[in-house]
Amino acid sequence: MFDEMSQRGVGDVVSWNSIIAAYVQTGDPATALKMFDRMTGQGDFRLLPDAVSLVNILPACASVGAWLRGKQVHGYAVRSGLFGDVFVGNAIVDMYAKCGSMDKANNVFEQMKVKDVVSWNAMVTGYSQIGRFEDALGLFEDMREKEILLDVVTWSAVIAGYAQRGRGYEALDVFRQMRIRGSQPNAVTLVSLLSACASVGALLLGKETHCYAIKCLLYLDGNDSGDDLMVINAIIDMYAKCKCPKIAHSMFGSVAPKDRNVVTWTIMIGGYAQHGEANDALELFSQMLKHKSSLIPNAFTISCALMACARLGALRMGRQIHAYVLRNQYESTMLFVANCLIDMYGKSGDVDGARVVFDNMYQRNSVSWTSLMTGYGMHGRGEEALQVFDEMKKTGLPIDGVTFVVVLYACSHSGLVNQGIKYFNSMKTEFRVDPGVEHYACMVDLLGRSGRLDQAMKLIKGMPMEPNPIVWVALLSACRTHANVELGEYAAGQLLELESENDGSYTLLSNIYANARRWKDVARIRSLMKHTGIKKRPGCSWVQGKKGTATFFVGDRSHPQSEQIYDTLGDLIDRIKAIGYVPETSFALHDVDDEEKGDLLFEHSEKLALAYGILISAPGVPIRITKNLRVCGDCHIAITYISQIIEHEIILRDSSRFHHFKNGSCSCRGYW
DNA sequence: ATAGGGTTAG
C-alpha cells in the first residue's frame, strides 16, 4: 500500500510516519532508519518530519546504538522548534540514556521547560540501567520536592536495575518502600522482583512473590497482553535458579502446552541444564522440537541445550545441535551460540572441534577466547592454551581476572609451573588485574600438583586475604597426590575450622591415610563421617551410546547387558595383570559407603563404563566416558594398561580434567 | 508517538 502511494506521490508525513513506526515496532530499526533517510533526504521527495516522526525514529537510533544519528535528530528538533514538545524531549532524553550517555541525557532533561512523569522515569531508568543507583534514588527526592508522584514505572525501573546487576536484596528493599508508599505493583514489577529473587537465590521471598502474583493474576486474568505468561515464566525461572527444579517443572506443567511460548520452554531447559538433570533438559528440548507448531528455538534455547550437552559431555547430541544451527542459520546471534559450541566441544572431549568453531567465527569476544583456552587446558594441551593467550593479547580485548584463572588452570594441568608463576606475577604489573583469592587457589593447585608443597604453603601464608575453602582443598588434594600426610592433616583441619568440610575433603584425607597404611585413621575418618551424617557422593560414570546414555555406579548390575559387561571386565583385568598391573588396594577404601559389600575395586563405575564402551564401540572408534567425581587412582592405572591392549583411544572426563589414554599412557602425565 | 519486565557463554 505504502509503495503504491509513494509512487503516485500521494504519500504524506502521516503515511511515512506510519510505515516507519511499523518497522520499529516489528523490530527492524535498521529499515526504519533507511526509510527515515529516504523521507528526509534530497530529491523530489523531501518531507519535513513532525513531532511524531522524531518520536518514532529516536528509539530506533537508540536500539542500534546510532548515537550520532540521534544527535542529528536532536539538533533538528531544536532548530525546528519541535523540542518544546514534551514527547520529543522525552524521546531525546531516552535516546541518550539508552546510548549510555547519561550526562547528555541530563543536559537535555534540564533544558526541558515542560516535564512529565515520563521524563523523570526516563532519567531514573537510565541511571538504574548503568548501575548509578544513588543518582536514580536522588531523583526520587527531587520528585518528592516537586510533588511528582512516583508511579509504578519509576519503582519498577529501579527494581529491575538492581535485579539485572545481581543486587537482589536492594531490589527487594526498593519493593518494600514501594509498598509502604502505597504504589500498586503490576506485572512488570512482579517480573523484576522475581528476577531479583532468582539472582540471589532468595527462595522464601520468591515464594512470597509467587503468592502475591497469584493474588494479582486474578485481576490480570483475561487480558491478552501476555503479561500473565511473562509472570509465570519469571516464576518458573525463579524456582529453577533457587535450586528447586522440581517445583519449576510442576509450574511449567501447569501451563497448558498451547499457552507456552519459546521463553517458557527455554527457561525450563536452561533450568534443568544448570540446576537439575541435564538429561531432562535434552529430553525437553527434543520434545519442544517435536511440537513442530510455531515453536522455533531461538539463540537462547540453543545455548541452553548446548549447556546441557556440555555438562553431560554429550558429544553426539552436541554435534546434532551444531548441525541444526548450521541448517537454520542462527547468524544474527551467532556469537553467543558459537561460544556455547566452543564450550560444549571442549567439555565433550573434542577440543579440535572447538577450534574449528572458533576459527570460523567472524566475530569473537573475550568469552570465545577463554572458552577455547579452557578447552586446551582441560585436555592438558597447555602450550596451545598459552599460544591462544598470546593471540588474544594482540586483539586488544580486555584481559580480566577470569582470563587469568583460565591461564593458570591450563598451566597447572600441563605442568607448566614456571610459566604459571610468570603469568601470576605479570597479572598486576602488566595487566593491572589484582590477584583474587581464586588466583591464589590456582597457584596453590599449580605448585601442589607439581609437588612443590612447601612453596604452596608459603604462598598461602603470604596471601593478602583469608584463604577460602577452595585454597585448602587444592592443597589437600596435592597432599593426596604427593602422599604428604602431615600437611594434608593441616589442610583438612583448616577446612574443618571454616566449617566447609564436604564429602570430598573427607575422602581425600581418608585416601591419604590409606596410602600411608594408617588404617586406624582411616577408620576414624569413616566413623566421623557417619557421626556427622556426611555421606560420600556416589561415584558415577556414563557412556553415550547410539541409543542414549548408559550410567553406572559402583558394583552396578542394573544394566541389561550386565553379565557381558562383567565378563569383559574380568577378562581385561586378567590380561593386564599378565603384563604387570598390580591392583592399588589403597584406593579400595575410596568408596567408604560400600565397604560392607567387600572389595569393590574392580567394580568401580569408570571400569564398568569402559567395559560397556568396548562392547558397543566399533573397532578404532574412541570411547568417551564421563565421571562425576575424580577418577580413582587404581582405575587410572588399570585404564592406562588397558589402553595398551585394545584398539580404542579412551577419552575420560572426570571432575578435574580430561584423560586421553592411548598405547599405555595418559595425556595427564600425572598432573591430575 | 515517549519510560519499566522473562531465557544464553568463559
Side-chain angles (χ1 to χ4, degrees), chain A residues 240-256:
Chain A
K241 295 229 165 82
C242 292
K243 299 188 171 114
C244 298
K246 281 186 184 147
I247 305 180
H249 186 252
S250 77
M251 287 300 301
F252 176 82
S254 74
V255 185

mmCIF file of all heavy atoms in Angstrom, chain A residues 240-256:
data_model
loop_
_atom_site.group_PDB
_atom_site.id
_atom_site.type_symbol
_atom_site.label_atom_id
_atom_site.label_comp_id
_atom_site.label_asym_id
_atom_site.label_seq_id
_atom_site.Cartn_x
_atom_site.Cartn_y
_atom_site.Cartn_z
ATOM 1 N N ALA A 240 13.746 -22.409 39.424
ATOM 2 C CA ALA A 240 14.915 -23.125 38.909
ATOM 3 C C ALA A 240 16.196 -22.537 39.489
ATOM 4 O O ALA A 240 17.061 -23.268 39.972
ATOM 5 C CB ALA A 240 14.936 -23.070 37.383
ATOM 6 N N LYS A 241 16.308 -21.215 39.489
ATOM 7 C CA LYS A 241 17.535 -20.573 39.968
ATOM 8 C C LYS A 241 17.680 -20.698 41.474
ATOM 9 O O LYS A 241 18.781 -20.570 42.001
ATOM 10 C CB LYS A 241 17.544 -19.099 39.547
ATOM 11 C CG LYS A 241 17.607 -18.901 38.048
ATOM 12 C CD LYS A 241 18.693 -17.911 37.656
ATOM 13 C CE LYS A 241 18.983 -17.998 36.170
ATOM 14 N NZ LYS A 241 18.007 -17.213 35.385
ATOM 15 N N CYS A 242 16.571 -20.910 42.173
ATOM 16 C CA CYS A 242 16.649 -21.149 43.613
ATOM 17 C C CYS A 242 16.835 -22.640 43.897
ATOM 18 O O CYS A 242 16.566 -23.106 44.998
ATOM 19 C CB CYS A 242 15.412 -20.608 44.317
ATOM 20 S SG CYS A 242 15.294 -18.821 44.295
ATOM 21 N N LYS A 243 17.275 -23.354 42.895
ATOM 22 C CA LYS A 243 17.610 -24.783 43.021
ATOM 23 C C LYS A 243 16.416 -25.654 43.372
ATOM 24 O O LYS A 243 16.537 -26.616 44.149
ATOM 25 C CB LYS A 243 18.728 -24.972 44.049
ATOM 26 C CG LYS A 243 19.985 -24.240 43.634
ATOM 27 C CD LYS A 243 21.147 -24.581 44.530
ATOM 28 C CE LYS A 243 22.433 -24.018 43.962
ATOM 29 N NZ LYS A 243 23.030 -22.980 44.756
ATOM 30 N N CYS A 244 15.269 -25.308 42.831
ATOM 31 C CA CYS A 244 14.092 -26.152 43.004
ATOM 32 C C CYS A 244 13.572 -26.551 41.635
ATOM 33 O O CYS A 244 12.463 -26.144 41.244
ATOM 34 C CB CYS A 244 12.989 -25.419 43.763
ATOM 35 S SG CYS A 244 13.438 -24.951 45.412
ATOM 36 N N PRO A 245 14.356 -27.321 40.882
ATOM 37 C CA PRO A 245 13.915 -27.652 39.523
ATOM 38 C C PRO A 245 12.595 -28.415 39.507
ATOM 39 O O PRO A 245 11.846 -28.323 38.531
ATOM 40 C CB PRO A 245 15.069 -28.501 38.983
ATOM 41 C CG PRO A 245 15.861 -28.935 40.155
ATOM 42 C CD PRO A 245 15.658 -27.898 41.216
ATOM 43 N N LYS A 246 12.311 -29.143 40.584
ATOM 44 C CA LYS A 246 11.052 -29.896 40.596
ATOM 45 C C LYS A 246 9.843 -28.977 40.661
ATOM 46 O O LYS A 246 8.874 -29.177 39.927
ATOM 47 C CB LYS A 246 11.043 -30.874 41.775
ATOM 48 C CG LYS A 246 11.861 -32.108 41.480
ATOM 49 C CD LYS A 246 11.745 -33.158 42.565
ATOM 50 C CE LYS A 246 12.673 -34.325 42.238
ATOM 51 N NZ LYS A 246 13.207 -34.939 43.465
ATOM 52 N N ILE A 247 9.911 -27.989 41.556
ATOM 53 C CA ILE A 247 8.802 -27.039 41.627
ATOM 54 C C ILE A 247 8.699 -26.287 40.303
ATOM 55 O O ILE A 247 7.604 -26.072 39.781
ATOM 56 C CB ILE A 247 8.994 -26.045 42.790
ATOM 57 C CG1 ILE A 247 9.191 -26.798 44.110
ATOM 58 C CG2 ILE A 247 7.803 -25.111 42.890
ATOM 59 C CD1 ILE A 247 9.387 -25.885 45.302
ATOM 60 N N ALA A 248 9.859 -25.902 39.779
ATOM 61 C CA ALA A 248 9.862 -25.196 38.493
ATOM 62 C C ALA A 248 9.134 -26.031 37.447
ATOM 63 O O ALA A 248 8.299 -25.526 36.694
ATOM 64 C CB ALA A 248 11.292 -24.922 38.045
ATOM 65 N N HIS A 249 9.445 -27.324 37.435
ATOM 66 C CA HIS A 249 8.830 -28.161 36.413
ATOM 67 C C HIS A 249 7.333 -28.320 36.640
ATOM 68 O O HIS A 249 6.552 -28.400 35.688
ATOM 69 C CB HIS A 249 9.502 -29.533 36.346
ATOM 70 C CG HIS A 249 8.987 -30.364 35.211
ATOM 71 N ND1 HIS A 249 8.172 -31.455 35.403
ATOM 72 C CD2 HIS A 249 9.127 -30.221 33.870
ATOM 73 C CE1 HIS A 249 7.866 -31.964 34.221
ATOM 74 N NE2 HIS A 249 8.426 -31.239 33.274
ATOM 75 N N SER A 250 6.898 -28.357 37.895
ATOM 76 C CA SER A 250 5.460 -28.503 38.090
ATOM 77 C C SER A 250 4.730 -27.211 37.698
ATOM 78 O O SER A 250 3.611 -27.256 37.202
ATOM 79 C CB SER A 250 5.137 -28.948 39.520
ATOM 80 O OG SER A 250 5.250 -27.870 40.404
ATOM 81 N N MET A 251 5.419 -26.067 37.860
ATOM 82 C CA MET A 251 4.831 -24.815 37.359
ATOM 83 C C MET A 251 4.758 -24.848 35.834
ATOM 84 O O MET A 251 3.772 -24.443 35.234
ATOM 85 C CB MET A 251 5.702 -23.622 37.777
ATOM 86 C CG MET A 251 5.633 -23.241 39.228
ATOM 87 S SD MET A 251 3.981 -22.780 39.737
ATOM 88 C CE MET A 251 3.657 -21.414 38.648
ATOM 89 N N PHE A 252 5.836 -25.330 35.239
ATOM 90 C CA PHE A 252 5.890 -25.470 33.779
ATOM 91 C C PHE A 252 4.745 -26.359 33.306
ATOM 92 O O PHE A 252 4.045 -26.052 32.336
ATOM 93 C CB PHE A 252 7.239 -26.080 33.394
ATOM 94 C CG PHE A 252 7.407 -26.377 31.925
ATOM 95 C CD1 PHE A 252 7.777 -25.386 31.045
ATOM 96 C CD2 PHE A 252 7.214 -27.665 31.445
ATOM 97 C CE1 PHE A 252 7.947 -25.655 29.691
ATOM 98 C CE2 PHE A 252 7.378 -27.945 30.088
ATOM 99 C CZ PHE A 252 7.746 -26.941 29.215
ATOM 100 N N GLY A 253 4.524 -27.462 34.032
ATOM 101 C CA GLY A 253 3.462 -28.386 33.652
ATOM 102 C C GLY A 253 2.074 -27.801 33.832
ATOM 103 O O GLY A 253 1.127 -28.239 33.176
ATOM 104 N N SER A 254 1.984 -26.807 34.711
ATOM 105 C CA SER A 254 0.658 -26.237 34.958
ATOM 106 C C SER A 254 0.227 -25.274 33.850
ATOM 107 O O SER A 254 -0.919 -24.850 33.804
ATOM 108 C CB SER A 254 0.641 -25.507 36.303
ATOM 109 O OG SER A 254 1.338 -24.291 36.196
ATOM 110 N N VAL A 255 1.174 -24.921 32.984
ATOM 111 C CA VAL A 255 0.804 -24.086 31.832
ATOM 112 C C VAL A 255 0.408 -25.019 30.692
ATOM 113 O O VAL A 255 1.170 -25.927 30.347
ATOM 114 C CB VAL A 255 1.983 -23.206 31.364
ATOM 115 C CG1 VAL A 255 1.545 -22.258 30.259
ATOM 116 C CG2 VAL A 255 2.554 -22.427 32.530
ATOM 117 N N ALA A 256 -0.778 -24.827 30.130
ATOM 118 C CA ALA A 256 -1.208 -25.671 29.008
ATOM 119 C C ALA A 256 -0.209 -25.536 27.872
ATOM 120 O O ALA A 256 0.240 -24.427 27.575
ATOM 121 C CB ALA A 256 -2.586 -25.244 28.542
#
